[in-house]
Structures are given as C-alpha cells and as structure tokens.
Amino acid sequence: MDSKKYFFAVDLGATSGRTIIGTLADGRFDLEELTRFDNTLIEANGHFYWDIFALYHEIIKGLKLAHDRQIPVQSIGIDTWGCDFVYVGDDGQILRNPLAYRDPHTFGTMDRYFSEAVGKEKVYEKTGIQFMNFNSLFQIYQMRQDGNTALRNADKVLFIPDALSYMLTGKAICEYTVASTSQILNPVTKDLDEELVASLGLKRSQFGPMTVPATVIGPLTDEVQKMTGMGAVPVVAVAGHDTASAVAAVPAKDERFAYLSSGTWSLMGIETKNAIINEKSFEKNFTNEGGIEGTTRFLKNICGMWIYERCRQEWPEAKNMSHAELQQGLLECEAFRSVINPDDAMFANPDSMVGAIDRYCEQTGQPVPRTKTEYCRCIFDSLALRYRQVFTWLREFTDFDIDLLHIIGGGSMNRFLNQFTANSCGVTVLAGPQEGTAIGNIMLQAKASGDVKDIWEMRGIIANSLELQRFEPQDKDIWDKGYEKYLAVTKA
C-alpha cells in the first residue's frame, strides 16, 4: 500500500501560475509540477483586469490531469498575490473580472481617502500596513467614487484565493493572511476593522468568515467533481497570500532570522509574535501581515525582479537566452556605475522599463547603461543596496541579533543577486527553497490533514528535504562605498 500522501497545490503569481503535486512520506517531501500557464493582464476600456475564469479553467485542467493519472489527491490548496478581490452578486455569480493592482485608477486615491474618510495615522494605527496605492482599502474606495457597477451590486467581497476556492466549493470565506494585505484588517482584533469597512460603504457581513490557515473550507462541488472526475476532495484554506505560504516554508531552526521572498516583488522581514505598530514603523512604512499560527510577518515590500523581467521582455534577443547567458560578464561590469531606487514610482508599470532606467540615470546625473549586462548589473546592485537599507531598519525593530537571511522564491536561484545581497547586508545568506510558496501551501494542507503538527515540524521536514546554498559576505569596503553612493543618489 502506498504510504505517501498527495496534496494538490495551486500557486498563482502575477505573471504565471502552476498546479503542483506535493508528496509527503517518511519525514520528507517532494514536488512535481503538473501544469504551468500564463497569467496575463487584460487591458480593456482603460483598465487592467485579471481573468478569474481563465485561472479557474486552468485549475480544473490540473485536477483533471491528476485524476487521469490516478493520483489519490488528499486535498487542494490555493495561494495567490494579495490585495485584489472579486465581487459576487446575491445570485452567487461573479460580477465582472477583477481589476488588477497594477491598474493606475488608484493613483492619488490615498491622499483623497485620508482627507475624506479616515486619517493616515489612524489607518496605520488600526492596520499596521504599509501604504501602497493599490491596497484593497484604496481600490474599493476609488471604485465607490467611480460608481463601479460590480461594487454597487456586490453581495460578497472575496479576495482572489478565496474567490477561486468559492468557485470550487461554493463556500465563501475570508482567509486571514490574504485579508491582512488589504489594509482593512486589524492585527490586534484579528478581524476586519468595522470603521474602515464602513468607510467603503460596505458591511462586515459582505466578507466571508475569518478563516485561519490549515482550515478545511469544504469539498468540491458536484459540478466540479463531474468536470474533473474527482470525488469530494476537500479544499483547504492554506496561507492564501503567497508570501505567507512562502515564509511558512523558510527552513529556519529558530526565530533569529530574517527572510527575503524574492520574486516579482521582494519582501524582506522578520517573524514576530505580535504586530509592531509605532511611530518608527509608521515613519519607515513597514507592514504587519498575517502569518502562520498567530504570528505576524513584519516586513517591507520592495519592487523586485519585476524590473529585470520587464527589461528582458523589451530585448528581442533575450527571448532565446537563458538567465545565465543574459547575465554573463556581470562581474566584469563596473560596480555601482549606475544605481536606481527600485521603489521609485517610475518603475511601477512604465511603458518601457529600459526607458525608465535611462530617465532615472539622466535625472540623477549618472551614466546610462549601454549594454544588457550593464542594465542587469545596475538592477542587481540597486536591489542589493535597497535590501541593505531595509535590513538596517529591520535590525532597529528586533530585540535579537539577526544571524541569517533566508532568501526564498524564484529569486533565490540568482547566484549573483544572492552574493550581492550577502555582501551588501553583511550577513550570511542561505538561499532556497525556490519553490517556497508551493511548499508552504502543501505543508499547510498536511497540517490540516494531521500529517504535521506545527510550523517547526513543517520547517524541519523542509530542511531535511533540501540542500541550501550558502553565501558569505565579501568585499565590505567596496559595498560600503556603493551604499554611500546609493543613499546620496536616492536622497537626491
């Protein structure tokens, strides 16, 4: 008899998605990618949308494939990016594809919200969330100002992973970690804040019941069972926010670590028992997002590999080049020849990312990169220096010495950026797992099924199943000078 347990993970990012089978046996796990597909922004009528039905269709395809291969799926879990959401009508039907967080309709909305609804300091005091124009609070407020028809007719508001779970089960929930990205949730009360909900013209009852990770939502509907051939397989609320699932997969041995979830976004932070909400965290714009087993992910969002990937898309010859080929000769390039602030607004969603880098360099009196390799060096230098800035701030908030920086996610495979980060931050870096989000998703399903007991057993299994890459700090004097230049350029 097969003693393995098989879990079906849906991992959706801002550019692509995957369905994955995770197996657990004898204190070790393994992953197999079933399907991979694009998640493409749809531009229509002056807005950018996600195609929620296309994502649902891809999940169904993955489930059908698992059934056809006779994989005895124990449960299903879904994680996605945060902040975005779907409106559902009182007939149970989805009202329009959801707007994407990169849609520009919220530019300028924050200031209007603070002057017309709830003040900035009070919002932060209630939520402890980093101010970003696309937070759900500001998205919904702007939609209300615009007379959005879907909002006007909404019976339910479901965040993206919850909406997809709803499409599979017919059960509406509000998963804690993804709700925490909205800037509507209060991390002290562990629920949506009534005053902020009311400021949007909504009621708490329009959101599903608050649900913590590793909770069974319900079985697949009869319709989905018929389409896929599956039985009444349970869908589990994992950490619905992909970063929360990724942080759950950090193979740490104790609490004395920081993490960097490196992908389209870079998210650098620590794990704490309680939210950190004070004058300093407000000034530095740090965020307190929901973690596993009552923990808080105290972190800062940093624009990550988005800049690099957008540049790659603009270079026709790069389509047939591997990352290694594109980055060949990186170390021969002059270090810190040009540096940028990755979080400058001009890099959010420009028509041309290469053009945006050029303009930034011109405006700050720096030489414009001349080759693809010089652009890569500029991006990686700048990311590593921004990481140092945030890491320095993090150390000011902790009551312990941070011994290690764990880099997880797709960016953990970039050996240049890993070494640059170790050099810049002056700390040992352990890189891996690359598939942190999917692994966390699967481990939380295993917790729901009783196959693991807590986060530390999860992390022990992960550490036992992986070989991490270690990077030690080098070239301190060179990187100290680079950081001085970065601070001067970004301040200017």
Side-chain angles (χ1 to χ4, degrees):
M1 185 176 177
D2 191 352
S3 62
K4 288 183 178 180
K5 296 291 182 69
Y6 296 80
F7 304 96
F8 184 96
V10 180
D11 178 22
L12 300 177
T15 57
S16 65
R18 299 170 304 155
T19 62
I20 296 165
I21 291 292
T23 57
L24 186 64
D26 302 322
R28 297 176 67 89
F29 77 89
D30 198 13
L31 299 181
E32 180 191 354
E33 186 176 289
L34 281 181
T35 63
R36 178 179 287 267
F37 47 90
D38 290 335
N39 182 21
T40 306
L41 281 176
I42 300 169
E43 186 173 4
N45 299 319
H47 289 289
F48 290 92
Y49 297 89
W50 301 114
D51 192 340
I52 194 75
F53 296 101
L55 296 175
Y56 170 73
H57 176 65
E58 293 292 348
I59 295 171
I60 297 298
K61 283 170 61 177
L63 289 170
K64 287 174 70 174
L65 180 59
H67 172 262
D68 292 345
R69 289 181 46 185
Q70 299 183 326
I71 298 172
V73 172
Q74 179 103 357
S75 62
I76 300 160
I78 302 171
D79 66 76
T80 79
W81 64 96
C83 295
D84 291 341
F85 46 84
V86 167
Y87 295 124
V88 179
D90 59 12
D91 61 352
Q93 298 299 312
I94 287 172
L95 303 173
R96 191 184 296 172
N97 267 326
L99 282 170
Y101 66 85
R102 291 199 184 274
D103 188 274
H105 75 125
T106 54
F107 288 175
T109 302
M110 280 198 297
D111 290 339
R112 287 198 304 278
Y113 179 88
F114 298 143
S115 64
E116 299 168 0
V118 182
K120 185 174 184 177
E121 290 81 0
K122 190 172 186 180
V123 171
Y124 190 81
E125 183 182 338
K126 285 175 173 290
T127 67
I129 290 293
Q130 179 178 356
F131 291 106
M132 304 183 83
N133 69 285
F134 53 70
N135 290 346
S136 312
L137 180 68
F138 308 121
Q139 287 199 52
I140 298 173
Y141 188 76
Q142 187 59 48
M143 290 179 191
R144 183 69 72 186
Q145 303 293 303
D146 293 340
N148 184 281
T149 306
L151 170 58
R152 193 162 60 240
N153 291 280
D155 181 62
K156 295 289 184 189
V157 184
L158 302 178
F159 297 103
I160 299 295
D162 302 335
L164 290 164
S165 295
Y166 170 77
M167 295 171 83
L168 294 177
T169 66
K171 307 289 185 184
I173 66 157
C174 184
E175 190 278 318
Y176 183 74
T177 68
V178 74
S180 74
T181 69
S182 66
Q183 203 153 42
I184 305 173
L185 184 138
N186 185 317
V188 177
T189 65
K190 308 290 187 184
D191 202 353
L192 301 180
D193 185 85
E194 295 281 1
E195 182 180 359
L196 297 180
V197 171
S199 75
L200 303 175
L202 295 171
K203 299 176 181 178
R204 174 62 186 87
S205 58
Q206 289 178 270
F207 299 82
M210 196 58 66
T211 305
V212 297
T215 301
V216 175
I217 300 170
L220 296 174
T221 63
D222 292 342
E223 178 186 36
V224 174
Q225 291 182 47
K226 184 177 180 181
M227 284 192 294
T228 62
M230 290 275 183
V233 177
V235 176
V236 172
V238 295
H241 186 216
D242 49 13
T243 307
S245 275
V247 172
V250 171
K253 295 180 180 179
D254 57 41
E255 293 94 346
R256 301 164 69 87
F257 71 93
Y259 58 83
L260 174 63
S261 180
S262 180
T264 303
W265 286 93
S266 294
L267 299 104
M268 179 179 274
I270 55 176
E271 202 170 58
T272 65
K273 291 185 173 66
N274 300 302
I276 301 174
I277 303 175
N278 55 38
E279 190 173 326
K280 185 188 292 186
S281 67
F282 172 74
E283 176 194 346
K284 300 299 186 187
N285 203 18
F286 272 79
T287 201
N288 292 268
E289 295 178 353
I292 308 305
E293 297 177 6
T295 59
T296 293
R297 293 176 292 117
F298 182 72
L299 61 90
K300 192 166 182 66
N301 288 274
I302 305 165
C303 187
M305 298 302 281
W306 164 254
I307 298 175
Y308 169 72
E309 291 295 346
R310 280 289 303 273
C311 286
R312 281 186 71 220
Q313 292 172 14
E314 292 182 45
W315 295 322
E317 61 273 30
K319 293 178 181 176
N320 298 316
M321 297 173 69
S322 67
H323 292 292
E325 291 171 328
L326 186 58
Q327 297 164 24
Q328 188 174 7
L330 198 75
L331 296 180
E332 281 71 56
C333 289
E334 179 186 346
F336 320 119
R337 179 176 181 268
S338 309
V339 295
I340 62 173
N341 177 2
D343 289 321
D344 192 284
M346 69 169 59
F347 303 119
N349 193 17
D351 293 334
S352 167
M353 188 63 75
V354 171
I357 293 174
D358 293 351
R359 287 194 304 279
Y360 188 96
C361 292
E362 290 166 355
Q363 292 172 11
T364 52
Q366 301 179 90
V368 172
R370 298 161 299 192
T371 66
K372 291 187 290 295
T373 311
E374 286 188 354
Y375 279 100
C376 291
R377 181 76 200 225
C378 169
I379 293 166
F380 296 161
D381 279 349
S382 301
L383 284 173
L385 292 167
R386 176 61 167 160
Y387 296 159
R388 174 172 176 165
Q389 186 174 40
V390 175
F391 190 73
T392 301
W393 292 336
L394 271 177
R395 280 180 155 158
E396 297 173 3
F397 288 103
T398 63
D399 54 5
F400 58 86
D401 290 330
I402 302 174
D403 298 331
L404 288 171
L405 176 62
H406 283 272
I407 300 182
I408 53 179
S412 69
M413 299 295 288
N414 189 313
R415 61 187 180 89
F416 291 118
L417 185 53
N418 292 341
Q419 186 62 61
F420 289 0
T421 302
N423 297 349
S424 183
C425 295
V427 69
T428 300
V429 163
L430 291 180
Q434 176 189 3
E435 306 288 357
T437 304
I439 294 168
N441 179 323
I442 287 157
M443 285 297 170
L444 286 161
Q445 291 186 59
K447 184 184 177 189
S449 66
D451 291 292
V452 298
K453 64 179 180 180
D454 60 22
I455 192 170
W456 294 108
E457 184 177 356
M458 288 164 50
R459 287 174 169 163
I461 291 170
I462 294 165
N464 191 43
S465 305
L466 298 170
E467 185 173 344
L468 305 179
Q469 287 188 300
R470 191 180 190 93
F471 298 85
E472 297 293 349
Q474 301 172 0
D475 304 323
K476 180 180 184 300
D477 291 344
I478 295 172
W479 279 87
D480 284 348
K481 290 178 181 177
Y483 188 54
E484 290 176 9
K485 177 177 180 178
Y486 170 83
L487 291 176
V489 167
T490 56
K491 184 178 181 180

